Every structure is written in C-alpha cells, then in structure tokens.
Amino acid sequence: MRATELVRLALSRLGSSRLRAALTMLGVIIGVASVVSLVAVGQGATSGITKQLQGLGTNLLTVNPGATTTGFTRGAAGSANTLTIEDAQAIAALDGVAAVEPEISTSQFVVAGTENTTTSIIGTTSGYTTVRNFDVWQGATLNQAAVDARLHEAVLGATTADDLGLTASSIGSTITIGGLPFRVVGILQAKGSTGPVSQDDQILVPYTTVQDEFVPGDKLRTIGISVASAGQIDTVKAEITTLLETRHDIAIGGTDDFTIADQAQLLTTVGGVSDLLTLLLAGIASISLLVGGIGIMNIMLVSVRERTREIGIRKAVGARGRDILAQFLVEALVLSVLGGIFGIILGVAVSYLIGSLAGWGFVFSPVTPLVAVLFSLLVGVVFGVWPARQAARLDPIVALRYE
Amino acid sequence: MSGALIELHDVSRIYDLGHVQVAALQGVDLEVEEGEFLAIVGPSGSGKSTMMNILGCLDRPTGGTYSLAGTPIAELDDDGLARLRSRTIGFVFQSYNLLPRTSALENVATPLLYQGVSRKDRLARAQVALERLGLGDRISHIPTELSGGQQQRVAIARALVTEPALLLADEPTGNLDSASGAEVMTLLTQLNAAGRTIVMITHDAEVASRARRQVHVRDGRLVA
C-alpha cells in the first residue's frame, strides 16, 4: 500500500474519534513542547550571559595586583600594590595590544544640583571606553589632554547620570565629586547589568586627577588591555607575564605579584556550564515525551483489541499481515508526529514568552524542532510497532468471530 | 487451466488441542466447476464452518490437497493466501461484517485497496457495484444507517467489486427477515445465472434448495 493511502486511512480513523486522538496526542504535545521550550530557555540563558560577558570588553585581559608575601604569610589577592602607570605604558607598547587603560578607583559622594548619590569613581584614560567596550551617548569621553593637564572633567555612566537627573542638555554643567567641582563632558550609553554590580553606575575621571585629589601615590588597581584579535590572546598574555616579571624583578619560578584574567576563559567556562544545564533540562523534558509515547502505545493496544473484527474483515478481503501492520503503525506515527508538530508550536510560543519575560529575547534554533520531530517519529515507531504487530498477527478466523 | 475451479482431495482438518485431537473434517473430496451454484449443507458442529474457512483460504488443511483456480494452496505462504483471497474470492458473511463507521462506498472499495487500485478507480468501481445492486442512493450511508437487507447487499457489492472467480457465502440469509432473505437469494440466483460461481454454506434446507447442487456435511465428512 502506498504511504498516502495509509496516511489517509489513519487520518479518517483518527478523525472519527477526535477526542481520543487529541488526548492521546496531548502526552506527546506536552513532551515535545517541554523539550523545545526548555532547550530554548537554556540556549537563551546561555546567549544572554555570553552577550553580557562580551559586553565587558572585546578580547579583554585584565591585570590585577597579586598577593603580598610578608615573611611566610601570603596576603589576599590585590594586596600587593605593585602595578604602576609605567607598567601600563610598557604593556601598551607590546605587539598585539590594541588599547590599554589604567584604573584607580575610589568611592565618593557626588552632588548635581539638588540630586546626590555615592558611586565609584574610576580614574582612567581615554582608553577606557575602547577596552571596556562602552559607547558614548552624549558629549565625549576623556581625552589625553585632560589626563595630561589633570583636569576636573567627568564622564558619567548612564545609571549615575539618571540618578543625578542629568540629561543630554547637562553636558558642560558642573557637579561636585567628593566636594570638588567637575565639569561633565560626556554620558555613556547604558550597557545593562552584569551580575550585582552595574557597569553603568560609575564616573570616569582622568587618573591623574584621582591621584591628585583622592588616592595619592602612583599605584593602579587594574590595567585593562584590549587584544587586537582573539587568536592573539594567549600570546599577549604570555608577553605581559614576561614583561611584568622583568619589570618587577621576579626570578624565574618565583611567585608573580600580579594576576592576568582572561575573558575568553570565563566565556568557555560559563558556556560549558550552561550547555550542560541545557542538556539536563532536555533530558528531564524527554522523560515526559517517553510517557507520551507510552500513552500512544496504550491507546493503540486498546484500539487493536476494539478493532479485532475490522482486522479480520480486512484480512478476509485481501489485506496481508504487513498491510495491517502498516495501517496501525502509520496511525501511531500520525498521532506522534501531529503531536510533535503541535508540541513544537506550543514550545516555540512558550519559549518566546519566557524569552521576552526574562529579557534575553527569543532564541530559536531550527535544530531543536527538527530533533523533536525526529524524536516523536521515533516514539511513534517504538511504541507503535508492538500494537501493530499484535494486529498483524491476528488469525482472520478468530478475528472475524470476535465479538 | 486444467480442471475445476475448486479441487479438494482427501482433505482433513484436525485441531490439536494438546491432550486430544479433534477432526473437524476428514477425507473430503469435492470438485466445483466454474459457473456452479453449490450449497454445502449441514447442522451446526458438522464441520461446515471449517469447510468455509478452508475454501476461503482463511485456514489450511492439515491433510490432503486443495487447489483453487489451479493454485495448490499448500505452496503459498500467508501473504500468498492473502493475495489469492484478494484476487479470487469474494466473501459474504452471515453478520455482513461491514467496517463500522465507514460509508457503504468506502466499504465496497476496501478490497480494491489491497489490490493497489488507485483511489479514484476504487471509488468509481465501488459506485458501479453499489448501483448494480440498487444501492446507488445509499453510497454515503454508514452500516448503522442501513437495514439488514441493505447491509447484506453492500456486503455482496463488496464481494463482487473485485470480479472474483468465486463468491463464498456463509449463511447469507441467517440474520435476515424472510423478505430480505428471499431478496438476497434471488440476487444470488441472478448472479449465478450471469455466470458467477457461488459456494454457499447453510444449515437451512430451504435456502439450500435454491442452489443447483447440494452436498451435505455430517461429522466432518461429505455425505451424498
């Protein structure tokens, strides 16, 4: 028999008991929908996190001071106050380094008109917006002239500007930071939060000014480096290590007084974890698909029993065992595949809803529905074959006499 | 093709019930020529249902040989039997055995499905078969919407739609009132007059008398 005949037969049969068909399909619908939506949730979360991490800076390396060792006692990371602006300048001269920015930070009370806030003040250079991947929304970013002249100029993060009631027209106005007047030269584009600390709640000022007014000395908290291309990250990292070891007189095999953090490493780790999570979610969801498949098998077995006489009639008028097998198998397949299709529609709708509520947008990978349909097809075959074989093996004489 | 349409030689059918063997048929010899109208008559338990199953290729003899339309059925596997049924035999049952919730037209078209006839041709041929039996206005009715006599005529249309060499009728009037029964018997007589070979199984001597030849079954054996 041709496939179209079998599908027509199955559809007309299922059409004559719609409620039962719908309820049987429901198991597969729920199974497939949960696989599709949970995988989408996993992928959405992954891409959301990845996007935010990439937002921290492209090919970003950060050098932080390491731990001090006093005698035999090792202090906390960052306690060694060893990084200097000369280190930053030396790093800038290395091959493969696109931009470098030094950072000194402090927390200060800030007043603008009647509004006030307390926020972190980053003393840095014009390189900051490049390395940290910020766009300027209004005005300009810090420039080298301001750093050299130690000017009281400030570039505000989007949240800080908002908190202080500053808008596009506030460029050029004066605010006070730690009691000192600063001129607002720019406001940055908002980036969204990365974890608990918002990158949008900060004020950039020339590092020289911070050294003058708030944090005396020439030590840096961090040096941010943008590597020219992703492929050069490891090389540049090694170059920086060698350079700083030389500059800080650290013997070969000695303990470094700095650490270099690598954005790519973080991305790989996070990606690995969330891939595992996605797989786990899909695994749990596929259990419900399995249950749906058992539902189909159950109904098909009942159906074979109920239609014993029909099977006898069909055999008497010339149906072979394989015709009966095909008829019942295709019925199970139509149930599971229709269920799969409805399940995909439902699953896509649910993942769209979750995606827009969670704010990572709608992630749709065409692979998921494809896999879901193939899987439901497999469910149909696996759970349809046994009932269909039962039907095909019926003795026509017994089947015809069956009441 | 040599010989008769149906050739049974020393056919027996023994049911093995484990501890005991029951012979439903023993040493049956029977020939049916093309164009005959034969009644196989016997009381219940005589083995006539077993005769019907064997003649209809639904069952195999445990002994002896059976050839239908020149084909020895011992040489056929289950698929081969199904093919032979499909091409050579049209069944009419006592209880009609129409597919439930299925229109008269689809019911009649079903045997053609298993011959691989296209849907368009199937429905056209089923329509013709139904019209020939005076059911042209009932083609979209489902079995429960038809009277017993009408259902049996649908079943006969289904048996005839493949133009089988043999029409095998098992108590065709058993479930019908006398008027409908007479109608069905008249129909069978007309079909035979038009050249159709018919083998009818019945316990009813009056019904059997409409056939041109009768054989009697008693205790699994043919008696004069």
Side-chain angles (χ1 to χ4, degrees):
Chain A
M1 277 166 80
R2 291 212 314 274
T4 49
E5 303 278 11
L6 290 165
V7 171
R8 195 197 328 265
L9 210 56
L11 286 176
S12 78
R13 168 68 198 178
L14 298 175
S16 70
S17 48
R18 283 192 197 87
L19 181 62
R20 179 195 277 199
L23 289 174
T24 310
M25 271 190 278
L26 199 58
V28 177
I29 293 175
I30 291 171
V32 169
S34 44
V35 171
V36 169
S37 53
L38 286 178
V39 167
V41 165
Q43 288 173 334
T46 308
S47 86
I49 293 168
T50 309
K51 230 181 266 170
Q52 284 180 341
L53 286 177
Q54 281 168 342
L56 293 175
T58 342
N59 304 332
L60 175 68
L61 290 178
T62 52
V63 184
N64 289 298
T68 47
T69 306
T70 316
F72 293 105
T73 314
R74 190 181 163 99
S79 58
N81 238 351
T82 52
L83 294 177
T84 62
I85 190 69
E86 288 76 23
D87 287 338
Q89 282 156 358
I91 290 168
L94 291 173
D95 271 351
V97 172
V100 170
E101 49 93 14
E103 289 177 36
I104 310 169
S105 64
T106 177
S107 184
Q108 296 295 337
F109 183 60
V110 183
V111 180
T114 56
E115 306 289 336
N116 69 77
T117 183
T118 299
T119 187
S120 61
I121 311 300
I122 314 281
T124 185
T125 61
S126 58
Y128 188 89
T129 46
T130 314
V131 173
R132 298 287 178 173
N133 205 20
F134 276 97
D135 291 324
V136 177
W137 176 58
Q138 287 293 331
T141 184
L142 301 171
N143 57 38
Q144 195 55 45
V147 174
D148 292 343
R150 303 170 173 262
L151 295 180
H152 284 202
E153 285 189 351
V155 174
L156 276 60
T159 307
T160 313
D162 209 35
D163 288 348
L164 294 172
L166 300 178
T167 62
S169 60
S170 309
I171 303 298
S173 67
T174 301
I175 60 173
T176 64
I177 300 175
L180 302 166
F182 279 75
R183 200 167 67 89
V184 176
V185 295
I187 298 175
L188 299 174
Q189 189 83 47
K191 252 186 176 188
S193 75
T194 311
V197 182
S198 170
Q199 301 178 87
D200 294 326
D201 190 8
Q202 58 184 16
I203 298 177
L204 311 181
V205 300
Y207 77 92
T208 46
T209 314
V210 173
Q211 285 174 336
D212 286 351
E213 311 288 0
F214 305 118
V215 186
D218 64 347
K219 301 308 181 192
L220 300 178
R221 187 198 61 173
T222 298
I223 303 173
I225 299 127
S226 180
V227 181
S229 74
Q232 288 173 288
I233 288 176
D234 287 339
T235 327
V236 171
K237 215 167 145 182
E239 280 176 3
I240 293 170
T241 307
T242 314
L243 176 78
L244 291 182
E245 280 172 351
T246 313
R247 291 181 56 86
H248 295 182
D249 296 326
I250 294 161
I252 291 166
T255 309
D256 286 348
D257 60 355
F258 58 90
T259 55
I260 304 177
D262 177 352
Q263 203 71 57
Q265 251 175 11
L266 193 60
L267 269 177
T268 315
T269 312
V270 169
V273 168
S274 54
D275 281 353
L276 196 69
L277 201 72
T278 305
L279 205 65
L280 191 75
L281 288 175
I284 293 168
S286 50
I287 292 174
S288 60
L289 193 53
L290 190 75
V291 174
I294 294 171
I296 288 186
M297 178 158 71
N298 187 21
I299 285 298
M300 290 311 294
L301 282 172
V302 169
S303 179
V304 168
R305 173 60 66 89
E306 281 178 349
R307 290 154 71 192
T308 298
R309 204 181 175 94
E310 174 192 332
I311 294 161
I313 297 167
R314 289 186 181 278
K315 284 196 159 183
V317 301
R320 291 164 300 173
R322 74 179 79 137
D323 294 324
I324 302 294
L325 182 87
Q327 182 187 346
F328 279 81
L329 191 57
V330 167
E331 248 178 63
L333 282 178
V334 166
L335 273 176
S336 65
V337 170
L338 277 184
I341 291 168
F342 288 134
I344 287 165
I345 294 170
L346 185 67
V348 166
V350 166
S351 42
Y352 180 77
L353 202 70
I354 294 175
S356 45
L357 286 179
W360 55 62
F362 177 52
V363 183
F364 180 75
S365 123
V367 179
T368 315
L370 203 70
V371 170
V373 160
L374 286 179
F375 204 56
S376 57
L377 206 71
L378 190 73
V379 163
V381 171
V382 168
F383 294 104
V385 155
W386 189 45
R389 280 178 65 94
Q390 301 248 307
R393 283 176 172 176
L394 278 176
D395 181 351
I397 299 169
V398 176
L400 277 171
R401 302 246 180 283
Y402 187 87
E403 291 300 332
Chain B
M1 211 192 303
S2 69
L5 179 64
I6 293 172
E7 290 179 73
L8 296 175
H9 289 297
D10 194 24
V11 162
S12 58
R13 178 66 173 95
I14 294 164
Y15 290 100
D16 191 348
L17 304 178
H19 54 288
V20 60
Q21 294 193 329
V22 179
L25 284 181
Q26 269 183 315
V28 172
D29 288 295
L30 179 67
E31 290 198 356
V32 181
E33 302 290 337
E34 273 180 48
E36 272 200 72
F37 185 176
L38 172 74
I40 297 174
V41 194
S44 59
S46 62
K48 64 180 193 306
S49 289
T50 308
M51 273 293 281
M52 154 89 183
N53 292 338
I54 286 178
L55 289 176
C57 300
L58 294 167
D59 196 4
R60 297 161 191 275
T62 47
T65 58
Y66 171 32
S67 291
L68 176 63
T71 311
I73 72 146
E75 291 172 8
L76 300 175
D77 58 6
D78 284 353
D79 282 359
L81 284 186
R83 210 170 297 127
L84 190 62
R85 282 200 297 274
S86 168
R87 297 211 184 123
T88 318
I89 306 170
F91 285 95
V92 178
F93 300 96
Q94 176 175 0
S95 49
Y96 328 131
N97 275 341
L98 297 177
L99 298 174
R101 293 183 296 281
T102 305
S103 72
L105 190 67
E106 291 283 354
N107 257 295
V108 174
T110 299
L112 297 173
L113 175 67
Y114 299 110
Q115 291 187 348
V117 177
S118 77
R119 181 171 171 79
K120 199 173 142 234
D121 289 353
R122 286 205 304 271
L123 295 181
R125 283 169 67 178
Q127 169 98 34
V128 169
L130 281 164
E131 279 167 0
R132 216 185 291 159
L133 293 186
L135 290 164
D137 56 342
R138 293 281 187 278
I139 60 166
S140 52
H141 288 53
I142 62 170
T144 48
E145 294 168 352
L146 297 169
S147 73
Q150 286 169 334
Q151 288 189 59
Q152 194 60 301
R153 278 191 285 154
V154 172
I156 293 170
R158 182 181 64 189
L160 292 174
V161 76
T162 57
E163 298 293 339
L166 173 65
L167 187 67
L168 199 53
D170 183 10
E171 301 277 12
T173 60
N175 281 14
L176 298 176
D177 60 68
S178 54
S180 305
E183 211 174 287
V184 165
M185 286 316 299
T186 308
L187 189 58
L188 291 181
T189 312
Q190 285 168 353
L191 288 170
N192 177 245
R196 185 78 56 197
T197 313
I198 301 177
V199 172
M200 177 175 69
I201 283 144
T202 183
H203 69 282
D204 187 333
E206 196 190 322
V207 169
S209 68
R210 301 289 297 271
R212 292 201 290 189
R213 175 157 83 105
Q214 298 180 23
V215 292
H216 292 263
V217 196
R218 195 136 313 184
D219 300 327
R221 292 173 187 280
L222 286 193
V223 291

